[in-house]
């Protein structure tokens, strides 16, 4: 098997084989992605779910909200595995949680974890987030993996699963998005990507709907929120913060993936080390995305604000006025450690 070289050896041998044994014996498996799933979360769940379905297990994939996958990800579900949250059993016998650092990220499905454990079932957490709270009964976590799909691929290899095209597409979608089109990818990860291309993945056809396709309404929203962006050169320990706010009126008629893409534009500001986008999800309720260029640990800043994530990409949710959320963020960024 062509493994991911950055996985901690002490955990890889035991955790991967343990997870493979568990899933090889399971006959009914529920797989979760986090709320508002991205390509890494849903791609991981669908790739693994497809393999288990082909082995004869009853399989369902779900997430807390929204009610259906983002438009750009729907083609990944070639087997119709995704079900609404309301159709998830109260206590699944075997539960696999993908790319989710904490119970809170499961939203209304978080209670299924405790119910499964209380009923004597297994909860396998597969993730690459540094701040994962290890809320399952078994854990397959590699904080140095660039994407959760890389860990899933190692697990599929351990299970002896054939890497067919639909599975490879799910994995490639998660890989290309979480590495920012391979900007953050090791040589070993590029070799993993080569395996997926050799399985038949068309990189242009897979990537374009994920990163390069938006409805025309998105242009107007983007113009409005970028026009309201603010640059604070003295913030983030003097390295600069750029931020903007997407209010409910701005996002009317657009999907979450369009709103989430704003951070990838605002982060290109050369005068700011840190970029932040406050997205209003309900009156007085905010989802905040953070990105850093290379020097500030925004993962620690997000944790201080009740969220989490990676050192250069993270987020949190907060209630209150936008100004108060920004004040808390400024304080957290000024206290966040610098990266070596």
């Amino acid at each position: 098997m062509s493994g991911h070289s950055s996985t901690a050896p002490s955990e890889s041998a035991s955790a991967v084989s343990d997870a493979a044994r568990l899933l090889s014996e399971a006959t009914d498996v529920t797989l979760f992605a986090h709320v508002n799933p991205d390509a890494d979360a849903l791609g991981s769940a669908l790739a693994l779910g497809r393999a288990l379905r082909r082995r004869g297990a009853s399989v369902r994939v779900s997430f807390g909200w929204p009610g259906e996958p983002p438009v750009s990800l729907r083609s990944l579900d070639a087997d119709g595995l995704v079900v609404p949250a309301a159709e998830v059993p109260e206590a699944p016998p075997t539960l696999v949680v993908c790319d989710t650092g904490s119970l809170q990220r499961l939203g209304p499905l978080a209670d299924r974890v405790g119910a499964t454990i209380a009923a004597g079932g297994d909860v396998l957490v597969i993730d690459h987030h540094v701040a994962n709270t290890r809320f399952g009964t078994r854990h397959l976590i590699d904080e140095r993996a660039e994407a959760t799909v890389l860990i899933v691929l190692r697990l599929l290899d351990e299970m002896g699963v054939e890497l067919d095209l639909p599975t490879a597409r799910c994995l490639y979608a998660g890989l290309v998005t979480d590495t920012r089109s391979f900007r953050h990818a090791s040589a070993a990860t590029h070799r993993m990507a080569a395996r997926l291309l050799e399985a038949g993945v068309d990189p242009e056809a897979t990537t374009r709907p994920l990163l390069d396709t938006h409805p025309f309404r998105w242009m107007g929203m983007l113009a409005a929120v970028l026009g309201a962006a603010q640059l604070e050169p003295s913030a983030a320990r003097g390295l600069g913060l750029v931020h903007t706010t997407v209010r409910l009126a701005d996002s009317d008629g657009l999907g979450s993936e369009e709103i989430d893409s704003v951070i990838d534009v605002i982060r290109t500001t050369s005068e700011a080390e840190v970029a932040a986008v406050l997205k209003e999800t309900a009156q007085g309720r905010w989802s905040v995305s953070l990105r850093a260029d290379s020097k500030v640990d925004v993962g620690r800043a997000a944790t201080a604000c009740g969220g989490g994530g990676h050192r250069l990409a993270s987020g949190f949710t907060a209630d209150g006025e936008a100004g108060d959320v920004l004040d808390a963020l400024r304080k957290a960024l000024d206290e966040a450690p610098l990266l070596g």
Side-chain angles (χ1 to χ4, degrees):
M1 148 182 157
S2 176
H4 179 229
S5 61
S6 68
T7 301
S10 61
E11 184 169 36
S12 64
S14 60
V16 174
S17 60
D18 181 56
R21 282 194 301 271
L22 169 68
L23 297 180
S24 294
E25 297 170 359
T27 58
D28 186 297
V29 183
T30 299
L31 300 103
F32 285 167
H34 55 68
V35 293
N36 192 21
D38 57 12
D40 192 28
L42 192 58
S44 294
L46 288 172
L48 189 51
R50 173 177 169 78
L52 296 171
R53 167 71 66 84
R54 289 164 61 200
R55 288 177 161 233
S58 296
V59 175
R60 65 197 63 82
V61 173
S62 195
F63 41 87
W65 53 264
E68 55 186 6
V71 173
S72 63
L73 302 181
R74 290 176 192 172
S75 66
L76 298 180
D77 187 14
D79 301 282
L81 299 179
V82 173
V83 302
E87 295 183 15
V88 174
E90 293 297 322
T94 302
L95 180 58
V96 180
V97 182
C98 298
D99 194 49
T100 303
S102 66
L103 276 176
Q104 288 74 18
R105 291 284 285 151
L106 290 176
L109 286 176
D111 62 348
R112 304 306 202 275
V113 172
T116 294
I117 295 173
D122 292 292
V123 178
L124 170 64
V125 178
I126 306 175
D127 191 25
H128 71 133
H129 290 96
V130 174
N132 190 286
T133 58
R134 296 178 181 263
F135 52 88
T137 60
R138 306 178 191 225
H139 302 90
L140 182 52
I141 298 173
D142 177 6
E143 298 92 344
R144 290 169 290 181
E146 294 96 332
T148 296
V149 291
L150 291 171
I151 308 171
V152 169
L153 180 53
R154 295 195 64 224
L155 179 55
L156 295 176
D157 285 343
E158 182 73 17
M159 296 170 64
V161 173
E162 175 190 358
L163 189 59
D164 63 4
L165 178 53
T167 303
R169 286 187 69 246
C170 291
L171 298 172
Y172 191 87
L175 189 56
V176 72
T177 52
D178 256 38
T179 60
R180 292 190 63 223
S181 298
F182 300 99
R183 292 178 179 92
H184 303 297
S186 66
T189 297
H190 278 279
R191 287 191 288 270
M192 291 282 199
R195 286 185 58 197
L196 303 178
L197 297 179
E198 289 165 356
V201 171
D202 181 333
E204 168 63 19
T206 303
T207 303
R208 180 173 173 78
L210 297 172
L211 301 175
D212 300 326
T213 302
H214 299 286
F216 184 73
R217 170 75 179 84
W218 178 79
M219 305 293 179
M221 179 275 294
L222 189 64
V225 301
L226 291 184
Q230 298 181 40
L231 176 65
E232 300 183 14
S234 63
R237 305 187 64 162
L239 296 172
L241 166 68
V242 62
H243 59 85
T244 194
T245 301
V246 183
R247 296 190 177 273
L248 288 173
D250 299 315
S251 60
D252 184 43
L254 291 171
S256 60
E257 54 198 317
E258 268 68 56
I259 310 307
D260 291 342
S261 69
V262 173
I263 191 69
D264 293 318
V265 181
I266 197 171
R267 71 182 301 174
T268 62
T269 303
S270 61
E271 298 92 341
E273 161 67 17
V274 177
V277 175
L278 280 67
K279 297 163 289 187
E280 190 177 24
T281 58
Q283 191 69 37
R285 179 78 170 168
W286 304 92
S287 173
V288 183
S289 295
L290 300 176
R291 299 292 185 271
D293 185 21
S294 61
K295 300 182 180 68
V296 175
D297 188 341
V298 291
R300 292 281 288 275
T303 299
C305 294
H310 306 292
R311 292 180 299 171
L312 300 179
S314 60
F316 63 93
T317 58
D319 296 312
E321 298 295 328
D324 295 333
V325 176
L326 280 169
D327 285 342
L329 174 59
R330 292 185 188 100
K331 181 176 185 294
L333 288 173
D334 283 336
E335 296 174 354
L338 296 177
L339 301 172

